[in-house]
Amino acid sequence: MPTDALEDLMHQKAHAQKSRAKARRSKHHRGGVPPEPADAPVLRTAWSTRLVPHNEFMGPWERCHATLVNDARAYRATGRPQIALLGDSITESWRGTGLCRKLGRCQGVPGVLQATLGARWPQPTVLGIAADHTQHLLWRL
């Protein structure tokens, strides 16, 4: 690679790193709350629950998380080949729930799961929670 191109590439990389660091340090990002890094395990914060008051959201989220912890323990205890699905509300729809509460819009979805993935792996374990982001899933793992 020519020296000028290499220097230009190194300059661009350094600039991008400075920009990311500045964004992480910013106290004025999205309503004054610093963002949660997507590459590190983080429990839910006010930043990621900004569409619903944090104190209203966390109770149902914590109860749902406790339910899924129990489901994961039961999954590990079977000793037979299974599949676990991790994710957000799209994944949780396979349970027929949103924050572990039955949802009408998900009616019939668990049956589809059993007919598809369940044909290969009996009783697939669904460990999705609505509104989770990557960092929350990392925390739950």
Side-chain angles (χ1 to χ4, degrees):
M1 182 177 284
T3 305
D4 291 340
L6 182 58
E7 287 176 4
D8 188 44
L9 182 62
M10 290 174 64
H11 175 73
Q12 289 174 5
K13 185 176 178 181
H15 179 70
Q17 287 173 336
K18 287 178 186 176
S19 295
R20 284 192 299 271
K22 183 179 179 181
R24 283 191 300 267
R25 289 189 307 268
S26 173
K27 299 214 187 282
H28 303 289
H29 183 75
R30 295 192 186 189
V33 179
E36 300 166 348
D39 60 348
V42 176
L43 180 58
R44 301 302 301 241
T45 69
W47 179 79
S48 60
T49 61
R50 63 192 176 278
L51 298 178
V52 177
H54 185 67
N55 57 344
E56 291 177 25
F57 180 84
M58 286 308 292
W61 187 92
E62 288 169 348
R63 285 188 294 278
C64 189
H65 172 65
T67 298
L68 298 185
V69 166
N70 290 332
D71 289 355
R73 285 187 181 129
Y75 167 83
R76 289 186 1 206
T78 64
R80 65 180 188 270
Q82 284 190 294
I83 186 169
L85 306 173
L86 308 170
D88 59 8
S89 59
I90 296 169
T91 306
E92 187 181 0
S93 293
W94 291 111
R95 293 176 69 92
T97 64
L99 290 176
C100 293
R101 289 180 263 182
K102 292 285 183 197
L103 291 180
R105 68 174 173 79
C106 297
Q107 185 176 357
V109 176
V112 173
L113 177 64
Q114 287 301 321
T116 55
L117 293 178
R120 170 69 171 89
W121 296 281
Q123 300 174 341
T125 300
V126 180
L127 303 174
I129 297 182
D132 263 4
H133 299 184
T134 303
Q135 60 272 25
H136 312 129
L137 180 59
L138 291 172
W139 183 86
R140 291 194 295 121
L141 289 174

